[in-house]
């Protein structure tokens, strides 16, 4: 069953009924001003940091779902009937409801009582504001007298404090309303130098800024008294809950359309220039008045929207493919790349499943997000790498996260995850492969943001590599620390106290529990490190890291090998985890994927054996499970992983982040059919037809799909913010289609399904546009390459002379 359809030409997902199984969201903004918006206009906005600069309020876990957002109400002033053209919050039955989620914008349209309303929400490039471009059309044969009400509820900036500290917050709310613009200025009188504003293109019949005067006592968003009576109160908020609502009266002739523009914005003033006149308590508005004046004009708004679309044409144009498979094309050409931008911007902070107050930018997560983002806006990837590296600790370890606003690392979600530093090596290597910007390695970067501690980025990578070697356990495998990639495999935790966080509770010292996964990750990172060092003329050092990796690799193939697959770990008592010796959790997906990606076991058949075990024990029609058998009870020595009921999250769901590792591993064995089959099992577009089972958005990946032990096998959760986005993008584009940026050239090595006659792709790389045509002539998979008609030996297209605009690439698969 479907709740909408893809419009690939307009790059939109078109939702055709408002009651989707869950709110199906989109993101507004791609630079500094951001918002999440659902298909019924729910959601909230923030500036840079979803916790510390929250502009509008939102309550999660609400019943009914998804209440609070960017609402407008329409009222027929003749009959008194009112409704929400975005369905929520009144949930009046609507005709012709559609919600079009596109790249950085959402348009919701509907008709009711002979009035058509369309609202396009977007954030113009380069601005700290959002626009609600509202068009009303009277389809009646009679004139219509209407009132249009807007509504936002302001958050008192720090979203955590806002939702907890009521004894203070009910007394601090403040606004100004000047020339029909509503300014939200809570705490501006003291230490804040930022405020929000809400403006409208039309003269107002009234406004409200005090929530309970607008709603009326004990009434909800679905039935505000001001709307019901068609009369805004002109309330001025003092304490309690500041809102912004405007009332516009419109008389529309039959067939007449009118546009009303609402602007919600954020602005910061220089501290010395906060007040106007100086010494007063009145906001200095000189910075925002010209912006408001500009965006009140429909032509300016149209131009801003066209610029946003053009921006996305350009970004998505960097890699476009034409394959025999619609779902592959749609995800690569549009949605997966778009999701990579969103995960880069948000990390794991704000979605329908991430509250915006829990997590900032993760060290491990952001480095992986780079893998799928780096070709879109390389300059931003560079900045992110340097920010991340500056939170690295002098030990080579890393804070697990930092807040985007402060860019300082913190231990709020725990520390001592021993895999963290190695992801930096992968992130930096991917950046240099994409850009050829070798200079980044000599950029001086501090440790833990401490003045005086700076050393070139290359030194950070060295410390990342050394960090693992300094922490080896009894089997010569890396110590796991608090956890590795799998945050829930807590081998040193032993938590028995209800409510205790598995992430932050005290660990035992942890000199025994080891991770096979980190062993594989190290071998992969060492290969990247060696490539970088060789290019810099430091081949001897590069070889030394490879030698260390070879020793570790021996440990992985020794104590890390279970006989039929790679083990997962050793627990704090030195007992294997992910072994046939275990009763539950005998085989885990992560080490099979990571070790084979690192090349371990490729020579001696063990890689093939491990992947066969994955296919036999872990693969389901809904994707590949994280481990089996699922843990049926809580294991003190394993921690959070066994806290989830079987089939959910880390306890044996299809944890989608890990599936592309197996796809990549399969391509290493030349198995294009199986790799692509696995790809399609979790591809959201391919699952669109079972939306009643999948339940999350069919246009983006979710973190998990409930496993076969779950009551709801096939049900997705945690959509949007997951490393799944970047890794699937890498798997399909670089390993299955096989177009792979390298340090010294573009590698071409497709491993595609046998029944594909070929495919076409356009890839912009380091300033050159590669027009690639792949044709299958045989089944063995060997590649014959031509660049502009010249036969190239091997599968590496060397860098063309500087300034080459276009290279025609012909690829024959033999
Ligand atoms: C989740 C993990 C997540 C971790 C973050 C756990 O509860 O299951 O997926 O990585 O929290 O702290
Ligand atoms: C989500 C976290 O953000 C990520 O860092 C972790 O690797 C996975 N969960 C697996 O636990």
């Amino acid at each position: 069953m479907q709740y909408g359809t893809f419009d690939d030409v307009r790059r939109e997902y078109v939702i055709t009924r408002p009651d989707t199984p869950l709110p199906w969201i989109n993101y507004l903004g791609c630079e500094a001003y951001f918002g999440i918006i659902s298909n019924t206009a729910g959601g909230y906005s923030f500036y840079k940091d979803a916790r510390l600069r929250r502009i509008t309020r939102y309550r999660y876990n609400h019943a009914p779902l998804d209440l609070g957002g960017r609402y407008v109400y329409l009222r027929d002033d003749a009959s008194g009937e009112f409704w929400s053209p975005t369905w929520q919050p009144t949930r009046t039955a609507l005709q012709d409801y559609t919600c079009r989620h596109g790249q950085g914008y959402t348009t919701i349209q509907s008709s009711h009582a002979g009035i058509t309303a369309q609202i396009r929400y977007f954030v113009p490039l380069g601005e700290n504001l959002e626009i609600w471009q509202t068009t009303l059309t009277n389809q009646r044969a009679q004139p219509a007298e209407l009132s249009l009400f807007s509504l936002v509820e302001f958050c008192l900036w720090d979203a955590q404090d806002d939702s907890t500290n009521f004894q203070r917050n009910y007394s601090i709310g403040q606004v100004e309303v000047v020339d029909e613009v509503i300014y939200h200025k809570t705490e501006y009188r003291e230490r804040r130098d930022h405020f929000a504003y809400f403006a409208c293109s039309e003269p107002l019949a009234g406004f409200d800024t005090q929530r309970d005067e607008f709603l009326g006592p004990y009434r909800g968003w679905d039935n505000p008294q001001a709307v019901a009576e068609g009369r805004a109160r002109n309330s001025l908020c003092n304490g309690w809950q500041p809102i912004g609502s405007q009332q516009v009266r419109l008389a529309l002739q039959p067939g007449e359309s009118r546009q009303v523009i609402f602007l919600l914005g954020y602005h910061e003033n220089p501290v010395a220039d906060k007040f106007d006149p100086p010494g007063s308590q009145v906001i200095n508005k000189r910075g925002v008045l010209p912006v408001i004046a500009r965006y009140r004009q429909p032509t300016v708004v149209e131009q801003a929207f066209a610029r946003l679309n053009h921006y996305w044409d350009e970004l998505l144009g960097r890699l476009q493919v034409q394959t025999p498979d619609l779902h592959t094309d749609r995800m690569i050409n549009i949605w997966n790349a778009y999701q990579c931008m969103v995960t880069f911007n948000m990390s794991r902070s704000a979605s329908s499943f991430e509250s915006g107050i829990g997590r900032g930018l993760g060290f491990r997560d952001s480095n992986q997000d780079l893998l799928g983002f780096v070709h879109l806006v390389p300059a931003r990837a560079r900045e992110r790498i340097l920010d991340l590296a500056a939170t690295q600790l002098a030990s080579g370890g890393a804070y697990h996260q930092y807040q985007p606003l402060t860019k300082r690392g913190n231990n709020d979600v725990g520390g001592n995850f021993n895999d963290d530093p190695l992801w930096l090596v992968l992130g930096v290597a991917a950046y240099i492969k994409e850009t050829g910007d070798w200079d980044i390695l000599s950029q001086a970067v501090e440790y833990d943001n401490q003045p005086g501690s700076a050393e070139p980025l290359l030194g950070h990578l060295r410390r990342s590599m050394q960090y693992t070697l300094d922490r080896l356990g009894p089997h010569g495998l890396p110590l796991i620390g608090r956890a590795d990639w799998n945050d829930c495999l807590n081998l040193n935790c032993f938590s028995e106290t209800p409510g205790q966080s598995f992430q932050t509770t005290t660990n035992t010292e942890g000199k025994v529990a080891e991770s096979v996964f980190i062993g594989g990750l190290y071998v992969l990172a060492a290969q990247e490190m060696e490539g970088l060092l060789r290019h810099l003329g430091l081949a001897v050092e590069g070889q030394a890291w490879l030698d260390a990796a070879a020793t570790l690799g021996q440990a992985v193939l020794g104590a890390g090998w279970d006989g039929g697959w790679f083990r997962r770990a050793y627990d704090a008592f030195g007992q294997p985890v992910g072994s046939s010796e275990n009763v539950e959790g005998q085989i885990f997906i992560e080490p099979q994927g990571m070790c084979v990606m690192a090349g371990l076991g490729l020579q001696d058949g063990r890689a093939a054996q491990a992947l066969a075990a994955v296919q036999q024990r872990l693969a389901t029609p809904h994707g590949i499970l994280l481990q089996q058998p699922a843990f049926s009870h809580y294991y003190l020595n394993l921690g959070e992983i066994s806290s989830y009921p079987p089939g959910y999250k880390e306890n044996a769901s299809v944890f989608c982040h890990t599936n592309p590792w197996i796809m990549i591993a399969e391509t290493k064995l030349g198995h294009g059919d199986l790799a692509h089959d696995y790809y399609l099992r979790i591809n959201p577009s391919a699952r669109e037809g079972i939306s009643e089972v999948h339940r999350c958005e069919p246009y983006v990946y979710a973190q998990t799909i409930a496993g076969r032990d779950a009551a709801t096998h096939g049900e997705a959760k945690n959509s949007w913010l997951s490393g799944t986005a970047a890794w699937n993008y890498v798997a399909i584009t670089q390993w299955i289609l096989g177009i792979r940026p390298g340090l010294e050239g573009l590698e071409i090595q497709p491993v595609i399904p046998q029944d594909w006659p070929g495919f076409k792709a356009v890839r912009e790389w380091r300033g050159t546009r590669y027009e690639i045509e792949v044709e299958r002539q045989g089944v063995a998979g060997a590649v014959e390459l031509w660049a502009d008609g010249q036969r190239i030996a091997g599968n590496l297209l060397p860098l063309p002379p500087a300034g080459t605009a276009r290279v025609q690439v012909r690829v024959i698969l033999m």
Side-chain angles (χ1 to χ4, degrees), residues 742-763:
L743 293 173
E744 324 288 349
L746 191 63
E747 259 178 77
I748 310 278
Q749 181 73 68
V751 185
I752 53 176
Q754 294 290 356
D755 63 2
W756 281 20
F759 69 90
K760 289 186 188 166
V762 175
R763 174 68 154 97

Side-chain angles (χ1 to χ4, degrees), residues 359 487-488 503 640 644 649-650 655 703:
R359 303 207 261 165
D487 280 333
C488 299
Q503 316 293 325
E640 186 173 2
Y644 288 110
K649 289 281 277 178
E650 278 84 347
F655 209 97
Q703 182 198 53

Side-chain angles (χ1 to χ4, degrees), residues 2 43 66 126 209 233 311 319 330 393 403 434 437 471 618 689 735:
Q2 295 184 198
D66 187 30
T209 65
R233 281 8 190 201
Y311 175 75
L319 175 56
R330 183 180 275 159
L393 302 168
Q403 281 304 123
E434 181 64 35
D437 172 18
R471 288 164 183 74
L618 299 179
W735 296 93

